Every structure is written in C-alpha cells, then in structure tokens.
Amino acid sequence: MALQFLVGSIVTAVTIMIHALVTVGAIRIARQAGLKNTTRPQLHLMTVMVEVAAVLVVAHTIEVVAWALTYAVVGAAPEESGFLYFAFVNYTTLGYGDIVPLRSWRLIGPMTAMNGVLMFGWSAAVLFEVLRKTLDHLAAIGALGFNSEDRD
C-alpha cells in the first residue's frame, strides 16, 4: 500500500507541475488579450475563453497520459484493458467499472480520481479568473456593452 501512495503522490506532483505551467500560459494569453484594443468585444471575449479552455484541455490530456504511462510501468491494470482509457475513466471520475485495477494496485484509481477532481477545480478557477480579467479589460477600454454596471 505504501508503494501505491508513493507512486500516486509522485504522479500527482507531476500533474500539479504540468498544471502550474499551463496556468502560467493561460495567464499570458489573458494578459496579451488585455493589451489589445478591440472593436468586436464579444468576439474578443469568446476568443480568449476558447484559447484558454483549449490550453487547459491539452493540459488535462497530458496529465491523463502521465497516469496511463504510470499504469503501464507499474502494471496496475490488465494490459488488454487499454491504459489510456482506464486513466481517462479514473481521472474524470466517470467510473464505468468495466476495467478494474489489479488487486495490488487498487488505490491507484481513487488517487487518479482525486487528482482529476483537483485539476478540474483548478481549471474552473483559471477560466473564471480569465473571464473576470477580460471583462475588466473590456470595461476599462469602454467596449460597448461591457461597462462595469453591466456586471452588477
């Protein structure tokens, strides 16, 4: 059981580092957008949000791959099960139950799920903050329909 916690903790730390790097990238996207003066504020807002969301989806996919590689290295599930599928099911907390980890690695699934919940919550916070900052920027430049009274 200690080995499962150790392996799960290491992969969790790796995914946290990946997400931290991506968060820095998302902030960079939002800041660059903040420097732009736009004549189409709705399109500008939508573009910023789509860019940030796309970057976050890529980060989550990389994180799932990290879990899948770990499953393969430690032999956490039957080889024919598809480690990537198994990792996605656990990370997203979907929990189909059609694949179960080997008995000696049964804590790895819940650890993956716990990590996924944390990363999804983090992503939601990033998206909300980018939305807030972009709305503030649009209000500051006087974009039509985006003054501060619109948000009250």
Side-chain angles (χ1 to χ4, degrees):
M1 187 180 315
L3 180 59
Q4 293 178 67
F5 280 117
L6 177 64
V7 169
S9 296
I10 291 169
V11 180
T12 295
V14 168
T15 63
I16 288 170
M17 287 186 268
I18 292 167
H19 227 73
L21 286 169
V22 170
T23 298
V24 169
I27 291 168
R28 186 173 294 128
I29 289 169
R31 282 192 179 145
Q32 287 175 346
L35 300 175
K36 294 180 183 174
N37 200 352
T38 181
T39 57
R40 295 189 150 158
Q42 289 87 3
L43 180 61
H44 177 79
L45 177 62
M46 192 170 68
T47 301
V48 169
M49 296 308 295
V50 167
E51 287 174 355
V52 171
V55 167
L56 290 168
V57 167
V58 169
H60 286 289
T61 303
I62 292 167
E63 292 158 10
V64 169
V65 168
W67 280 105
L69 290 172
T70 302
Y71 294 170
V73 168
V74 302
E79 287 186 34
E80 67 276 359
S81 65
F83 296 117
L84 187 60
Y85 170 75
F86 185 48
F88 262 110
V89 168
N90 284 318
Y91 186 87
T92 61
T93 69
L94 188 57
Y96 280 143
D98 56 338
I99 302 172
V100 293
L102 299 179
R103 187 162 181 80
S104 59
W105 285 97
R106 65 181 172 189
L107 287 178
I108 201 85
M111 289 187 79
T112 306
M114 182 175 65
N115 180 241
V117 168
L118 176 64
M119 297 300 105
F120 285 127
W122 185 344
S123 291
V126 169
L127 282 168
F128 181 79
E129 184 63 13
V130 167
L131 174 62
R132 193 179 69 76
K133 289 290 190 184
T134 305
L135 289 173
D136 287 348
H137 164 68
L138 292 173
I141 65 170
L144 186 62
F146 289 93
N147 60 42
S148 58
E149 290 82 38
D150 291 339
R151 292 179 293 143
D152 293 334

